[in-house]
Amino acid sequence: AYYANKYWTGGNDFDAALSLQTSVGNSTERWEEQETELLRFDNAGTSGRDEPEVAQILKIGRRWYIFASMYGRTSNGVGAPSYWTGDLDTKIDEVNWNQKQERFLDGEDLCASQIVKIGTRYYLYGWIASRAGGGGWGGAINVARELYAKSDGTLATRLDPYMTKLLSGGSMFSLARNDTTAQQGTWDVTNDSASFTGGGVTMSGLNMSAYGELLLSGSYRRTLIESKLSMGTSGKIAGFKLQQKGAADYATVAVDQKNGQLIISGKEQGGYLTRAKYKVDIENYDDITLKLIVEGGIVEFYVNDTYALTARIFDDGSRSYLSDFSVSLFGDGSGTTFSDLSVNMLRSLETAYD
């Protein structure tokens, strides 16, 4: 239901609502005139929200949920997947939706996402921004990730075990089989783990004061990286550095304990740029499970089978496009440990079922 729409009539005001309308009988040809307003979107009013695109209303378990991607918040136009949680065992039209908190399922580079039910499970997919700097419309579709409800009603996403197995084409690197080289700081490397023990340097562009980096041997094209991560109390940020051979630019994909977020950044000629970030609530930073898909200019980062962050990090055809790249581990602050690390070949659609 639209009350004012600046995109149609000009001006500055947008005012609309997601509403329920009931059919007359079992036919979809005739509808009741009365609508039940659920959630208001008025950019000049109480909500401060703009237009909700590709909205969905779904019941998952014992709660109703509203989903939408908000327009006008990011350089991509349509923004990150938002959702609102209904009350337990409450009819959809009895929930006070305007009092519910807006939450998110990814960062700004997963756009116009939709949810589909397959069997008893729900999966989320959307298009990934076609330009690293934003402004493109449409792009590659993410790997569909499972969406599930936690006991408190909040939602989580994960790369489910079946999809993980399907995409993994075998390990190309493990700490037990392959070599590493400390690029910055001191690292203690065993067959099972790699720990940053100190002697880091300042990386002002990335706001790191005790940066350590460990280069993994080999070069890679399409990967699915899996690892455990322990950050202790002194580890501020830790993750993976990805750099195309012969290019000065690189990308970092990390867990940021200091700011309670996942963050994907890029080093380019213009300096350090944040590509995507996503606030998270990780209870135990000593026991984190990581999965990272890297393909060309796109990364998808999964943490603890609960959170996911997607980003376009380099444009197609750019000199930094990841077609022959190195992988490094990094941490800011000693005590960071990676374990059960495996860099796997990422299967394609043509080889996934081989």
Side-chain angles (χ1 to χ4, degrees):
Y2 288 95
Y3 307 109
N5 192 337
K6 62 182 179 181
Y7 303 107
W8 296 348
T9 61
N12 298 313
D13 290 342
F14 180 87
D15 190 2
L18 294 179
S19 302
L20 282 181
Q21 195 170 24
T22 306
S23 65
V24 177
N26 294 326
S27 172
T28 58
E29 296 181 359
R30 298 178 59 201
W31 296 83
E32 299 282 358
E33 294 184 4
Q34 185 70 31
E35 295 178 350
T36 301
E37 183 175 301
L38 300 178
L39 183 59
R40 196 69 172 257
F41 298 83
D42 47 350
N43 66 352
T46 303
S47 76
R49 293 185 286 260
D50 212 294
E51 183 173 16
E53 297 202 0
V54 296
Q56 289 181 281
I57 300 173
L58 295 173
K59 190 175 186 181
I60 301 176
R62 295 162 61 189
R63 297 177 189 264
W64 284 96
Y65 295 85
I66 292 178
F67 301 87
S69 292
M70 305 305 301
Y71 183 79
R73 287 179 173 174
T74 75
S75 58
N76 297 318
V78 60
S82 300
Y83 76 95
W84 294 260
T85 305
D87 300 316
L88 187 68
D89 296 329
T90 303
K91 294 180 179 179
I92 187 172
D93 55 351
E94 295 179 358
V95 176
N96 187 350
W97 291 102
N98 288 311
Q99 296 299 315
K100 298 303 180 184
Q101 178 183 348
E102 180 182 4
R103 294 186 171 92
F104 302 92
L105 292 169
D106 203 303
E108 65 182 72
D109 272 7
L110 187 65
C111 307
S113 62
Q114 290 284 273
I115 297 160
V116 61
K117 187 176 183 181
I118 301 176
T120 58
R121 299 186 178 189
Y122 296 86
Y123 288 84
L124 179 144
Y125 64 94
W127 53 263
I128 302 168
S130 60
R131 298 177 189 167
W137 184 258
I141 301 297
N142 70 292
V143 176
R145 65 190 61 146
E146 185 182 359
L147 172 77
Y148 65 94
K150 299 165 67 176
S151 59
D152 62 358
T154 58
L155 296 175
T157 61
R158 67 173 185 160
L159 188 66
D160 70 33
Y162 175 74
M163 185 67 80
T164 302
K165 183 178 180 180
L166 200 63
L167 293 177
S168 180
S171 178
M172 298 182 288
F173 178 95
S174 73
L175 292 171
R177 297 193 317 267
N178 303 94
D179 296 328
T180 60
T181 304
Q183 301 292 94
Q184 301 288 352
T186 303
W187 290 77
D188 181 17
V189 182
T190 69
N191 286 344
D192 301 316
S193 65
S195 300
F196 175 40
T197 58
V201 299
T202 297
M203 297 283 283
S204 57
L206 292 173
N207 296 317
M208 299 184 196
S209 58
Y211 176 84
E213 179 183 331
L214 184 72
L215 176 67
L216 310 185
S217 62
S219 60
Y220 305 93
R221 294 185 60 193
R222 305 171 69 250
T223 62
L224 169 60
I225 303 172
E226 298 181 83
S227 182
K228 297 285 185 64
L229 172 65
S230 173
M231 300 179 70
T233 57
S234 57
K236 302 180 185 70
I237 184 169
F240 305 98
K241 176 183 174 182
L242 312 168
Q243 186 166 18
Q244 174 69 8
K245 282 192 172 182
D249 302 344
Y250 58 83
T252 57
V253 182
V255 176
D256 181 354
Q257 180 175 197
K258 181 180 178 181
N259 296 299
Q261 63 182 1
L262 310 181
I263 184 166
I264 299 171
S265 303
K267 165 64 170 64
E268 300 185 7
Q269 285 183 323
Y272 293 88
L273 302 172
T274 298
R275 292 302 186 199
K277 57 185 178 180
Y278 177 35
K279 284 288 186 181
V280 295
D281 184 17
I282 296 175
E283 293 183 2
N284 184 3
Y285 280 88
D286 283 330
D287 186 16
I288 303 173
T289 301
L290 308 176
K291 297 178 184 178
L292 175 63
I293 290 175
V294 184
E295 184 174 10
I298 293 171
V299 295
E300 296 187 51
F301 190 34
Y302 306 89
V303 176
N304 282 355
D305 283 339
T306 302
Y307 306 106
L309 180 60
T310 307
R312 162 73 71 171
I313 51 175
F314 298 119
D315 291 332
D316 293 348
S318 75
R319 62 181 180 176
S320 304
Y321 188 82
L322 298 175
S323 58
D324 184 14
F325 63 94
S326 64
V327 177
S328 297
L329 312 178
F330 78 88
D332 181 27
S334 61
T336 295
T337 298
F338 295 84
S339 59
D340 296 339
L341 173 68
S342 181
V343 181
N344 308 306
M345 180 180 71
L346 178 66
R347 283 178 167 152
S348 65
L349 180 63
E350 291 76 18
T351 62
Y353 295 95
D354 291 350

